[in-house]
Amino acid sequence: MNRILFFLIALIALALAILLFLPGLVPVAAFKGRIETQASNALGREVTIGDDLSFRIFPRTAFRVTDLVIANAEGFSGDYLASVEEADIGVKLLPLLSDSVEIDRFVLTRPDIRLTRAQNGAVNWNLAQTETAETSETQSGGAPRELKLGDVRIVDGAARYEDLAAGASYVADDIDMTVVLKSLSEPLEAKGSMQFQGAPATVDMVLTSLRAIMDKEPGNLKLDLQVGDAEIGADLALALKDGLRYSGPASLSAPDLPAFAALAGTQLADAPGFDKLSVKGDVDGNDTSVRLENASINFDEIAAQGAVTLNWAGARPKASGVLSTDKLDLRPYMPPPATSADGFPAWSDAKMDFASLNNIDADFDISTDAVYVNDLEFGESRIKLLVDSGRLTAEIPELSMYGGQGSGRVVVNARGATPSFAGNFDVGAVQAQPLTHDLMKHDNLLGLGSFKLNFAATGASQAAIMRTIDGSGGFDLADGALKGVNIAGLVRAAGEFTEGFNPAALQRAVAEARGPQQQTDFSEFLSDFSITNGLVTAPTITLNGPYLSMSGQGTINLAEQKIDLRLLPKGTTVLEGQEGGRTVTIPVRVGGTFAQPTIGIDAESLARTGLQRTLGNVFSNKNEKEDGEEGAEDEEVDPARAIIEGIIGGQKKETGDQPDETQESTATPEETLINEGLNALFGKKKAAPKEETKEEEPQQ
């Protein structure tokens, strides 16, 4: 019995000695060539390893290899697909007897993987493209039924992906990753950190199951990825049978959109907007495009819902879809409006940057409750937005603005060195006061009506656009008013000067007709105009209202912000259709600038046209008036005629109180000029000092 026990002890000692000393007795380096050949046949690529090989069985089976290199595919630049400075692999022996591989340790130190997609779409990592029938049969017949991973790590790794077709490349460095796989049928878990495109990144991934993926059957991927400030989350169903496809809920949050776009290989132009983006919805995509259903999108200050498709296969990414939003805020992408303490601001010479139109192509159908373009506010509208290589076209079939409805179209072309603009708008039932307040920075126009405008311009600044704008348009307002001036009152006041030209009284009448409480009511106010190089020409201006009708014409210089309108209002003392009363006509001129407009009697017109029109009436009716004949009560009174009669010495009614001719005049320079000019024209001399004056008969 003792001998048997001694034999068993000796046998165990011999087994332990074999386990301890056998790895040292086996010349592992002698198997190097065979290992390289078997690995090359298995992968279909040349595989080489370094001379520093080691193998041990106790305390656990382990195999160590250095300088492992897997060659690149033919037709691709670069010497290798992958290289590993050191691989330390620990395998349990007993599971191998049951055709199962259980790796309790797999540590790759400083691996470097180089993935490339060629111009024709071929890839260098598809090992199946180079496998032979022999290796395929061997692999299919000898593949292990099970694989288990214990301590699997990547230490200080690197990876590079280069897409020659898209002209993009991505680099990951300092990769430290831990992988857990209990079996091929159970989830593969990977967690680690890296530097992606120079930005810190972390990844937490769960893939179920690896066997399904290997057999090209459906699987599932759960991903939490953080790159820089951006966060990506997804829970996707995977299918690889006919190429990569994925679907499921996903989210993206990029608080610094330019930085995230740069990480993704797209450089956004340094232009207003494109600051932040967050997206959430159900995705369905492949390796070149993705569609997002039930999407919730926050882009800068725009919050939208709908469906979006993003395709990045070309040189420029393209987004398309159908969206709805409560507000479409375009102010971040527009040059900021200029401000002025004097009212309407001067046009800015600052360069407007539309380079963001070259960041991405787009094709969207957008419905919105509100649109903001600088100080302009639009209501419920529908916009078809198309961006193609730097050219934006916005078709607006439904446009609500300031209570009205209409349609429009805007084109911004930033393809060339100097941007160009074109568009047209046609809207009706618009409230004029809030529109002019937001557009012209004043609220002096009231009424309800229609507006139409066609325009085209070029320029990189507001000032340049106003110098080059061409087009046409018109407006037709009803039941409104012109605030700040009472034209009817001004005409009636001027018509009271039937006894001659009284500069002080005229100046007083003009002052009384202007003011914040004064206004000119109208039943209709309309005009058509054309625009040439920033000069608006209105050949006809018509206004009709109670006690007043008016016609006129004029120009507005948009570039210089100057106004020059000549109006001929006709005021009456009774409403239209009533008998009696009288009619007064006097020319009015609107001038000044957008910031400081002016209005008053058109003195130049009085001197030029009023004189010509009334000279005949002055002399033809002079004898009748001297005989005491009175005009009819409803006779149209011509103030110009009355002024001229006073200047050239027409007979005045005698009154008990004659004005002192030496009294200092309060006439404006224009009125004084007209007075003296007409006096000189008709030979009327200036009054001499009172003590030396001898009244003379007026020359005829």
Side-chain angles (χ1 to χ4, degrees), residues 64-389:
R64 176 177 171 273
V65 63
T66 60
D67 301 328
L68 170 65
V69 177
I70 301 175
N72 209 350
E74 293 185 4
F76 289 86
S77 61
D79 296 332
Y80 58 85
L81 168 66
S83 70
V84 179
E85 183 175 308
E86 180 180 331
D88 188 2
I89 305 171
V91 182
K92 294 183 178 180
L93 293 178
L94 292 180
L96 292 176
L97 301 177
S98 60
D99 200 16
S100 176
V101 178
E102 186 171 340
I103 300 176
D104 63 355
R105 187 175 75 262
F106 188 84
V107 180
L108 299 179
T109 302
R110 283 182 283 280
D112 186 8
I113 302 173
R114 305 289 179 90
L115 306 178
T116 305
R117 179 187 292 272
Q119 290 279 4
N120 59 2
V123 297
N124 70 336
W125 65 84
N126 193 347
L127 301 178
Q129 290 179 344
T130 56
E131 70 177 343
T132 64
E134 180 181 355
T135 58
S136 177
E137 181 179 356
T138 302
Q139 291 173 10
S140 61
R145 291 193 301 267
E146 192 58 83
L147 173 67
K148 296 181 180 180
L149 300 178
D151 178 19
V152 179
R153 288 175 288 135
I154 297 175
V155 179
D156 197 16
R160 179 183 180 88
Y161 171 71
E162 187 173 14
D163 191 338
L164 299 179
S169 63
Y170 307 93
V171 178
D173 297 311
D174 300 333
I175 301 175
D176 293 308
M177 191 78 64
T178 300
V179 181
V180 176
L181 178 65
K182 295 181 180 179
S183 73
L184 289 178
S185 301
E186 295 188 47
L188 169 67
E189 302 178 17
K191 187 174 183 180
S193 63
M194 67 187 75
Q195 290 285 325
F196 181 76
Q197 300 286 75
T202 59
V203 60
D204 190 350
M205 180 187 73
V206 178
L207 177 63
T208 58
S209 69
L210 186 59
R211 178 177 293 279
I213 299 300
M214 294 171 61
D215 295 340
K216 295 187 177 181
E217 294 180 356
N220 183 267
L221 173 66
K222 186 174 182 180
L223 176 67
D224 289 309
L225 176 65
Q226 182 169 353
V227 184
D229 293 331
E231 296 180 357
I232 300 174
D235 190 355
L236 305 176
L238 303 179
L240 294 91
K241 186 174 183 180
D242 298 319
L244 174 64
R245 293 203 64 88
Y246 49 90
S247 60
S251 64
L252 165 67
S253 175
D256 187 348
L257 183 55
F260 176 73
L263 294 175
T266 300
Q267 293 293 332
L268 299 183
D270 186 11
F274 288 82
D275 296 325
K276 56 185 178 181
L277 172 68
S278 66
V279 179
K280 182 168 62 176
D282 299 322
V283 303
D284 184 5
N286 52 39
D287 57 350
T288 60
S289 66
V290 59
R291 179 169 177 80
L292 190 65
E293 299 280 357
N294 303 318
S296 176
I297 303 173
N298 290 275
F299 175 65
D300 291 339
E301 301 302 322
I302 301 173
Q305 301 78 38
V308 176
T309 298
L310 180 62
N311 189 309
W312 56 87
R316 182 186 297 103
K318 180 177 181 179
S320 59
V322 179
L323 298 173
S324 62
T325 175
D326 58 344
K327 65 176 182 178
L328 187 60
D329 192 349
L330 302 180
R331 289 173 292 191
Y333 320 103
M334 304 296 294
T339 58
S340 174
D342 298 330
F344 195 87
W347 304 123
S348 173
D349 286 313
K351 183 179 179 180
M352 297 188 299
D353 194 344
F354 294 95
S356 57
L357 294 178
N358 292 289
N359 288 333
I360 187 172
D361 290 342
D363 187 358
F364 282 101
D365 192 332
I366 304 174
S367 299
T368 179
D369 295 332
V371 182
Y372 300 97
V373 182
N374 282 344
D375 293 332
L376 296 178
E377 298 183 9
F378 301 88
E380 185 175 351
S381 304
R382 181 183 171 208
I383 303 173
K384 294 182 178 180
L385 185 67
L386 178 66
V387 180
D388 182 15
S389 303

Side-chain angles (χ1 to χ4, degrees), residues 2 8 53 140 249 316 350 354 435 504 541 606 609 649 663 686 694:
N2 292 333
L8 291 176
L53 300 177
S140 61
R316 182 186 297 103
F354 294 95
L435 172 61
I541 302 173
L606 278 176
T609 60
Q663 183 177 349
K686 291 186 180 181
K694 181 178 181 182

Side-chain angles (χ1 to χ4, degrees), residues 530-589:
S530 62
I531 311 173
T532 303
N533 291 330
L535 183 65
V536 181
T537 301
T540 59
I541 302 173
T542 303
L543 182 146
N544 292 306
Y547 304 105
L548 178 68
S549 63
M550 183 178 69
S551 61
Q553 62 182 7
T555 61
I556 298 177
N557 192 322
L558 296 177
E560 298 180 6
Q561 299 187 355
K562 292 183 179 180
I563 307 170
D564 187 8
L565 302 178
R566 298 174 183 271
L567 310 175
L568 192 61
K570 182 185 295 184
T572 62
T573 58
V574 296
L575 292 174
E576 182 179 358
Q578 294 182 352
E579 297 181 356
R582 57 179 182 163
T583 302
V584 181
T585 303
I586 188 168
V588 173
R589 187 170 186 177

